Amino acid sequence: MTNRFFLFLAITLLFSCGPKATTNKATKRPNILFIMSDDHAYQAISAYSDHLIQTPNIDRIADEGMLFTNACVTNSICAPSRAVILTGKHSHLNGKIDNMFQFDTTQVTFPQILQDNGYQTAMFGKLHFGNNPKGFDQFKILPGQGTYYNPDFITKDSGRINVEGYTTDIITDMTLNWLEEDRSEEDPFLLMYLHKAPHREWLPAKRHYTEYINKTFPEPETLFDDYEGRGSAARESEMNLLTHMNWAGDSKIPPAVMDELDIPPTAHWDKGAYKREVERQTPSQKADWDKIYDPMIEDFKKNYPNMSQEEKMRWRYQRYMQDYLGSIAAVDEGVGKVLDYLDENGLKENTIVVYTSDQGFYLGEHGWFDKRFIYNESFKTPLMVRWPNVITPSTTNTQMVQNLDFAQTFLEIAGITPPNDMQGESLIPLMKGETENFRDAVYYHYYEYPSVHMVKRHYAFVNEDYKLVHFYYDVDEWELYDRKKDKNEMTNVYDDPAYASVVTDLKERLRKMRAYYKDSPELDQMYIDKYQDLKRWDKK
Ligand code: SGN
Ligand code: CA
């Protein structure tokens, strides 16, 4: 009897002392930490390429897990990508085709299903749905796009709040705080840690802007692309660094200096964006900022009158990279802190960590910033996953996985059968190194037109060898890229007789793929009609 009592006491003590996670029994369903940043190009993650920036903390996820080198999105724009992630359905079925319509909250999302099945759920950072997320025990989300400094948050329990400080760090602190204070030890969790950075207007933290404003970055090969090899969509889009990037909002030339130099605003919100972001800083934050940005502005004032168009383009690119990459530095540090927390609190083994972005981004390739197009830099998105004991560390997967696949993957990880109308494929076999029987081509459909950046509506079939794209609505143009021969996608070979049979074959595959995913000309038209009722672009 006494022995049994001591055994009982020993076991009780074993499970009641030490850090929270010691009770995280091996049999417990895995936790999911989903980290997503906004507009983070894979070209700006050193696990993919270190020519622009070192991101040692984000890279840790790939070093200790799997790097996906051909991950892509179904619709390269913010809120639609998030809707695809949460619902596991393409935009034409979940209804969130662009950033303008509100998300349809009658859609079933994977966090709701996880919550119904005993997961603790929390979301911190950017959602951008126009309404609040369902299925979360706790959330603190940025209204709309959010701001880089002194952000407002919409919270589940205390309405709208304002927090002084740097947004990336605040979102990281909220995430860490939830892990430490609010997480219960009993149930597994889904934690969505969603950065606003490095979305436009790219304001780095004080501890990073000095370093980055003094750097010079290598230019992409296609910085001076004249769009000759393609159709009207590339030529007529409005994402060129020289002609469409804002001088005040983006390049941080104060409105008064623009007036002094007689520089007209690029977009009508050019100066407004500067006020909204740079002047949102407190007087003390702004004084620190001015110390570092003023010399750059003085330099610009001296040089601008004599700069050629080519020099202006080069200057724009460097200015862009300094702020864009500078704002990634804090994201990388934040990811490091959260990984450290997991590792130091016994949560590493039983937590799947995903790092991704809502889409890729142009870092001067084709002379562009922004995304939307199906061309590689915005079609592809970073993706890496750490899952100890399942994924072999430092492995690479080259298959065509999509943001469409997350919902099913996470549900299956939790031992839940996904609803039949989800359209992705579970990534679990790939994570285990089983690569057979996975899809060999993907479907893509972009809608937000006419709108900011003027990227025409298009849908496409993509496999490892080819990309067949149909631009429609106010044009009827096709493009075909030979992905193996033309890495930079500079030449549309759709009309090249050598590709005639490829075109015939791929058009048929595209037709079947649209039918398979339940997309159709009727739906295309429905979304055109709905969009026109809104007249949103005219109202702007
Ligand atoms: C804003 C940006 C655009 C950007 C969209 C969508 N302009 O309108 O450059 O494409 O957001 O971005 S800004 O001057 O207002 O920043 S998304 O990530 O939300 O899709
Ligand atoms: Ca985005």
Side-chain angles (χ1 to χ4, degrees):
M1 190 65 169
T2 324
N3 281 354
R4 270 201 204 163
F5 174 73
F6 279 115
L7 185 65
F8 170 73
L9 194 69
I11 291 171
T12 313
L13 282 174
L14 187 71
F15 282 99
S16 60
C17 322
K20 274 181 165 187
T22 45
T23 55
N24 204 344
K25 299 172 206 105
T27 50
K28 209 174 91 174
R29 289 172 295 169
N31 307 309
I32 301 164
L33 169 64
F34 184 80
I35 314 173
M36 186 160 76
S37 45
D38 192 346
D39 294 356
H40 194 172
Y42 60 89
Q43 309 92 293
I45 295 182
S46 45
Y48 289 97
S49 166
D50 62 3
H51 73 295
L52 290 174
I53 188 172
Q54 294 294 333
T55 51
N57 296 297
I58 296 171
D59 293 5
R60 252 167 80 187
I61 302 169
D63 292 344
E64 296 169 7
M66 184 172 274
L67 181 73
F68 290 83
T69 56
N70 272 312
C72 62
V73 295
T74 65
N75 180 2
S76 182
I77 182 161
C78 183
S81 166
R82 291 154 202 266
V84 168
I85 290 169
L86 293 181
T87 61
K89 290 193 264 178
H90 273 279
S91 307
H92 59 272
L93 293 193
N94 71 45
K96 185 81 179 111
I97 57 154
D98 68 9
N99 276 342
M100 308 308 153
F101 293 113
Q102 280 201 336
F103 178 68
D104 167 9
T105 52
T106 65
Q107 290 283 326
V108 173
T109 65
F110 83 83
Q112 285 168 286
I113 303 175
L114 288 179
Q115 188 186 45
D116 288 346
N117 283 272
Y119 267 67
Q120 306 170 69
T121 53
M123 176 188 278
F124 302 105
K126 182 171 171 184
L127 177 64
H128 197 200
F129 267 5
N131 44 34
N132 292 343
K134 281 191 157 175
F136 286 89
D137 305 332
Q138 201 187 120
F139 62 77
K140 291 186 179 138
I141 56 169
L142 297 164
Q145 298 283 12
T147 55
Y148 272 92
Y149 280 88
N150 312 323
D152 286 346
F153 282 89
I154 299 163
T155 69
K156 180 155 184 185
D157 303 322
S158 356
R160 201 163 162 136
I161 57 166
N162 177 264
V163 187
E164 190 173 316
Y166 187 65
T167 303
T168 303
D169 298 342
I170 295 166
I171 295 170
T172 300
D173 289 346
M174 286 173 170
T175 300
L176 288 169
N177 188 62
W178 183 85
L179 282 166
E180 179 66 17
E181 303 293 335
D182 298 332
R183 175 178 61 92
S184 109
E185 298 161 27
E186 302 310 315
D187 300 314
F189 64 79
L190 163 72
L191 175 57
M192 301 190 86
Y193 167 40
L194 309 173
H195 283 295
K196 177 220 166 38
H199 186 272
R200 208 177 179 185
E201 278 75 18
W202 318 299
L203 276 73
K206 181 186 166 189
R207 64 185 182 282
H208 296 127
Y209 49 57
T210 311
E211 177 188 348
Y212 282 83
I213 207 169
N214 287 309
K215 282 190 169 173
T216 305
F217 298 93
E219 291 172 1
E221 277 174 53
T222 56
L223 183 64
F224 292 95
D225 190 352
D226 59 7
Y227 317 118
E228 275 306 296
R230 278 154 295 159
S232 64
R235 271 197 311 276
E236 290 175 18
S237 68
E238 298 179 356
M239 356 199 277
N240 187 274
L241 293 181
L242 182 60
T243 44
H244 304 115
M245 187 169 256
N246 287 333
W247 286 101
D250 296 327
S251 298
K252 319 294 180 336
I253 298 303
V257 176
M258 285 174 65
D259 293 344
E260 207 179 311
L261 296 172
D262 216 7
I263 302 176
T266 308
H268 66 78
W269 68 92
D270 187 338
K271 294 177 179 175
Y274 183 90
K275 295 201 173 93
R276 164 163 51 82
E277 287 285 351
V278 179
E279 291 179 359
R280 190 181 171 83
Q281 295 179 83
T282 62
S284 122
Q285 289 166 343
K286 181 68 168 40
D288 290 334
W289 173 275
D290 287 344
K291 266 184 227 143
I292 305 306
Y293 279 75
D294 278 352
M296 174 281 285
I297 296 161
E298 285 309 310
D299 211 44
F300 177 76
K301 274 184 3 190
K302 255 189 273 141
N303 298 331
Y304 177 77
N306 300 315
M307 276 160 91
S308 67
Q309 291 297 92
E310 194 181 311
E311 282 165 342
K312 282 180 192 159
M313 180 65 155
R314 298 214 141 101
W315 183 88
R316 289 286 218 155
Y317 171 72
Q318 294 301 335
R319 205 64 283 296
Y320 170 35
M321 284 301 92
Q322 289 159 0
D323 289 350
Y324 176 90
L325 297 167
S327 69
I328 288 172
V331 172
D332 188 61
E333 288 175 358
V335 169
K337 283 188 189 164
V338 175
L339 291 178
D340 286 347
Y341 185 92
L342 297 182
D343 297 1
E344 288 160 12
N345 289 277
L347 288 164
K348 180 175 180 173
E349 295 298 304
N350 204 31
T351 303
I352 291 151
V353 180
V354 174
Y355 186 88
T356 192
S357 171
D358 59 346
Q359 12 63 211
F361 212 66
Y362 296 96
L363 304 184
E365 298 89 357
H366 305 292
W368 286 335
F369 65 107
D370 215 70
K371 53 261 178 176
R372 299 159 193 268
F373 273 117
I374 195 171
Y375 307 123
N376 280 334
E377 291 79 7
S378 55
F379 166 64
K380 287 170 67 172
T381 195
L383 175 62
M384 54 198 83
V385 185
R386 180 177 88 172
W387 191 4
N389 306 318
V390 176
I391 294 178
T392 308
S394 298
T395 44
T396 297
N397 178 285
T398 59
Q399 277 160 304
M400 300 198 66
V401 304
Q402 279 192 299
N403 56 351
L404 184 68
D405 301 326
F406 288 130
Q408 271 152 277
T409 304
F410 295 150
L411 291 176
E412 287 184 20
I413 282 170
I416 300 162
T417 308
N420 287 334
D421 61 352
M422 285 191 173
Q423 299 183 303
E425 291 186 36
S426 167
L427 303 179
I428 298 174
L430 307 192
M431 293 179 196
K432 292 179 174 165
E434 298 156 12
T435 52
E436 296 90 41
N437 304 322
F438 197 76
R439 73 162 80 80
D440 63 359
V442 298
Y443 181 58
Y444 182 89
H445 199 156
Y446 171 81
Y447 297 84
E448 194 180 282
Y449 179 88
S451 182
V452 59
H453 301 302
M454 296 301 274
V455 172
K456 293 184 192 296
R457 292 172 187 237
H458 55 294
Y459 58 80
F461 170 96
V462 189
N463 66 13
E464 276 183 25
D465 296 322
Y466 298 106
K467 207 175 257 185
L468 178 73
V469 194
H470 184 213
F471 289 92
Y472 69 100
Y473 177 58
D474 59 350
V475 283
D476 178 10
E477 287 181 17
W478 289 82
E479 296 187 8
L480 175 69
Y481 294 93
D482 185 330
R483 301 187 80 195
K484 295 245 161 84
K485 287 195 186 145
D486 180 15
K487 298 266 181 220
N488 288 338
E489 300 169 308
M490 298 292 280
T491 313
N492 170 20
V493 292
Y494 181 80
D495 290 322
D496 182 338
Y499 288 89
S501 64
V502 173
V503 167
T504 312
D505 174 46
L506 294 184
K507 273 192 160 174
E508 180 56 13
R509 291 188 71 181
L510 173 60
R511 193 189 61 74
K512 285 193 181 140
M513 189 172 247
R514 270 167 65 84
Y516 174 76
Y517 284 120
K518 302 187 168 58
D519 203 1
S520 64
E522 291 73 32
L523 281 176
D524 300 349
Q525 191 56 48
M526 185 188 97
Y527 286 122
I528 288 169
D529 295 345
K530 194 173 172 189
Y531 208 82
Q532 284 183 329
D533 290 345
L534 220 73
K535 288 206 177 37
R536 63 146 303 277
W537 183 241
D538 301 334
K539 273 188 198 155
K540 242 195 149 179

